[in-house]
Amino acid sequence: MSSLSPPPARLRRRDLIARIGSAALLGALPARAQQPSQANVAGEPAPRALTAQPAKLRLRPSPAAETEIWAFDGTAPGPALRIKQGETLRLKLENRTAAPLSLHWQGLRGEAAQDGVGGFSQPPVAPGESADIRITPPDAGTILYRPLVLGGSSEPAGRGLSGLLVVEEREPPAVDLDLPLVVSDWLLGDDQAIQPFALQSSASAAAGRLGSWLTVNGKPPPYPVKLAPGARVRLRLANACNARIMRLRFDGTKASVIAVDSQPTEPFEPVHAQLPFAPGTRYDVILDLPQEAGASVGITALVGPGLPLLRIVTDGATKPARSQPVALKLNPALPAAVRMQDALRPEFLIEGGGKPTPDRTLDFSGIELAKPWRVNGGTGSKEGKPLFSVKRGTPIVMAIDNRTAFIQPVHVHGHAFRLLHPLDDGWEAYFLDTVQIPEGKKLHIAFIADNPGRWLVSSTVLERFDLGLWGWFEVT
């Protein structure tokens, strides 16, 4: 994340410590977010059905054959679920696939029992069975939902199961189009069929399952949009790939980032018009389109020679120019600072994975024999010792030490954190729940352990997660 360009203010550590008191330690969630889940309450409407089942979708342009996939309600990605901040989402997840399922809500700072890690926070839903899901997100934001089951996440996600939950602000900013964009990665053969899942193969176990084809909202790229000149667009970008780590470049107009990983930030323009985009990452971005008709605005994935993902063309009557960028209200539930001198300092040491060959092509063919992934010397186990166990409100400064030959995207469940500067003299001015650790590097993150329960710290590369690249911590 070091290439993000944050708002101008970057607080130094000594300034942070001087500014804060004990009141800054707690970013408490609303009381209702801490209450136990209930299947249904008398008088409430019936939950919305969300069915995971086999489907067919044309991933490549016609005349390519359709591909047999797994989909939510017949679409991949699944439907964009929308609720207002403070509302409760009620779902009945129907599993008509051949694999156990559980939905993780990446970006949800809700209760631990609804984190959606099958086999850890709750039992997975067996094939042919169903389960009620009831969550009340305390924060507005863009949340990615996708399967997360201990040892069994790669295949259901790689077959197409993912989607977005949009929690709208009580007073959302005025835009002409609010557009979710989910980027997915598919490993297809010449017959357009999804290739077999081989979790233990050298390439899959190391780099992860890197596909041969990208889609945007389930369609061949570039995703086409036509809007009036001068229109303002809010993009909700999410990387739902199993393993594809990429960069995004914005072309044709300035991009203004207004939220990162579900949390608002002071608007900023990305450095060199580019953003890092690892699996699980989300951005809310504002684009103000050019005033002239026939202009083209787009997003390019910097994969191989570059792949256009989105193309917006202006057409019609020109809208009045807007002078001020959109700014979301910052989340008052998150702490302004962390008393790092009082922090517990655990380590998350990542080892293993083997070594990539020099030929880092689009399909990442040619990976040396993978070595088992290890976190602090072992693999993830719910029966093992936690990374740490603390009382609610404890400040945490975690060192994530990547001693592997691969970039490691790491997700902290149920919390939002700050990325510390390398010299430990301050932090970036936005919150994250997923961070990329470069090969052979160590970075530090800081947060308040303010959400009771047991929470994972996990790789967002699903093959690595399935092979044990995760740990957990406990907040009491």
Side-chain angles (χ1 to χ4, degrees):
M1 301 295 295
S2 59
S3 60
L4 288 178
S5 177
R10 291 194 176 191
L11 302 178
R12 294 176 300 175
R13 177 176 177 178
R14 60 176 178 270
D15 296 330
L16 293 170
I17 294 172
R19 283 177 49 189
I20 59 180
S22 59
L25 291 178
L26 294 180
L29 300 177
R32 62 172 170 264
Q34 301 297 333
Q35 299 301 316
S37 295
Q38 302 173 26
N40 203 24
V41 176
E44 288 183 344
R48 181 201 190 284
L50 185 67
T51 303
Q53 60 190 354
K56 290 186 177 182
L57 189 66
R58 182 169 283 109
L59 301 174
R60 293 185 185 271
S62 182
E66 292 183 320
T67 298
E68 294 186 0
I69 66 169
W70 291 354
F72 287 118
D73 292 354
T75 66
L81 307 172
R82 286 184 179 265
I83 60 173
K84 287 284 188 181
Q85 185 178 5
E87 291 181 348
T88 297
L89 176 69
R90 302 173 186 88
L91 296 175
K92 187 177 187 66
L93 175 62
E94 301 270 2
N95 183 8
R96 298 179 185 171
T97 75
L101 293 181
S102 187
L103 294 186
H104 173 54
W105 306 87
Q106 190 151 338
L108 175 65
R109 297 189 313 119
E111 52 186 302
Q114 287 296 335
D115 191 43
V117 183
F120 183 84
S121 61
Q122 59 206 91
V125 181
E129 300 294 329
S130 65
D132 289 332
I133 296 174
R134 176 186 171 93
I135 57 176
T136 305
D139 312 321
T142 302
I143 295 172
L144 174 67
Y145 65 88
R146 63 175 182 166
L148 204 63
V149 178
L150 297 185
S153 306
S154 173
E155 182 167 0
R159 290 191 180 278
L161 294 180
S162 67
L164 285 187
L165 167 61
V166 174
V167 184
E168 298 177 341
E169 297 85 4
R170 293 186 175 93
E171 298 178 0
V175 296
D176 298 294
L177 178 64
D178 185 324
L179 179 62
L181 290 175
V182 179
V183 179
S184 303
D185 192 28
W186 308 83
L187 185 55
L188 304 176
D190 293 339
D191 59 356
Q192 311 309 320
I194 294 177
Q195 297 301 287
F197 288 79
L199 185 61
Q200 298 293 340
S201 71
S202 296
S204 181
R209 184 179 174 89
L210 292 160
S212 54
W213 184 251
L214 291 178
T215 59
V216 180
N217 289 352
K219 299 182 181 299
Y223 189 84
V225 176
K226 185 177 290 186
L227 284 174
R232 173 166 283 180
V233 184
R234 178 178 184 169
L235 301 178
R236 298 178 183 267
L237 295 159
N239 185 336
C241 303
N242 275 30
R244 176 72 61 187
I245 300 171
M246 65 190 92
R247 300 187 66 80
L248 301 180
R249 187 186 69 214
F250 297 86
D251 304 311
T253 191
K254 290 183 179 180
S256 180
V257 179
I258 60 171
V260 183
D261 286 353
S262 307
Q263 296 300 332
T265 182
E266 294 291 340
F268 66 91
E269 183 180 346
V271 173
H272 305 306
Q274 296 180 21
L275 289 172
F277 200 45
T281 297
R282 291 96 58 220
Y283 296 105
D284 287 46
V285 178
I286 294 294
L287 301 179
D288 286 329
L289 303 186
Q291 293 285 305
E292 65 273 11
S296 179
V297 171
I299 300 177
T300 298
L302 301 182
V303 178
L307 177 66
L309 298 180
L310 171 71
R311 185 170 183 258
I312 305 175
V313 176
T314 57
D315 181 67
T318 302
K319 290 183 172 290
R322 293 176 168 96
S323 58
Q324 298 296 324
V326 168
L328 302 176
K329 293 182 179 179
L330 300 182
N331 190 345
L334 294 177
V338 177
R339 290 180 60 88
M340 290 191 290
Q341 73 272 35
D342 297 333
L344 181 71
R345 292 181 173 265
E347 184 172 63
F348 192 81
L349 171 62
I350 306 172
E351 297 175 296
K355 180 181 178 182
T357 66
D359 181 21
R360 301 178 66 147
T361 56
L362 179 63
D363 63 3
F364 253 75
S365 59
I367 303 290
E368 290 184 5
L369 183 62
K371 297 179 181 178
W373 295 110
R374 298 185 302 278
V375 172
N376 293 356
T379 56
S381 170
K382 64 180 180 179
E383 308 300 336
K385 293 183 179 179
L387 299 168
F388 56 88
S389 181
V390 295
K391 292 183 177 180
R392 185 182 184 190
T394 301
I396 305 295
V397 174
M398 178 181 288
I400 306 178
D401 189 353
N402 178 10
R403 298 185 187 177
T404 77
F406 298 88
I407 297 173
Q408 296 291 348
V410 175
H411 171 47
V412 178
H413 293 230
H415 294 75
F417 57 80
R418 300 280 199 181
L419 174 62
L420 300 188
H421 295 162
L423 296 179
D424 202 17
D425 61 350
W427 47 44
E428 302 295 349
Y430 41 79
F431 284 95
L432 301 165
D433 62 37
T434 301
V435 63
Q436 296 184 51
I437 313 298
E439 308 95 311
K441 300 294 184 182
K442 178 193 289 189
L443 295 179
H444 293 78
I445 62 173
F447 63 98
I448 303 296
D450 63 356
N451 203 350
R454 301 198 314 166
W455 301 99
L456 292 191
V457 180
S458 64
S459 174
T460 63
V461 174
L462 294 182
E463 291 72 28
R464 300 178 194 175
F465 172 77
D466 284 348
L467 291 172
L469 208 169
W470 59 274
W472 61 278
F473 64 96
E474 184 176 39
V475 183
T476 60

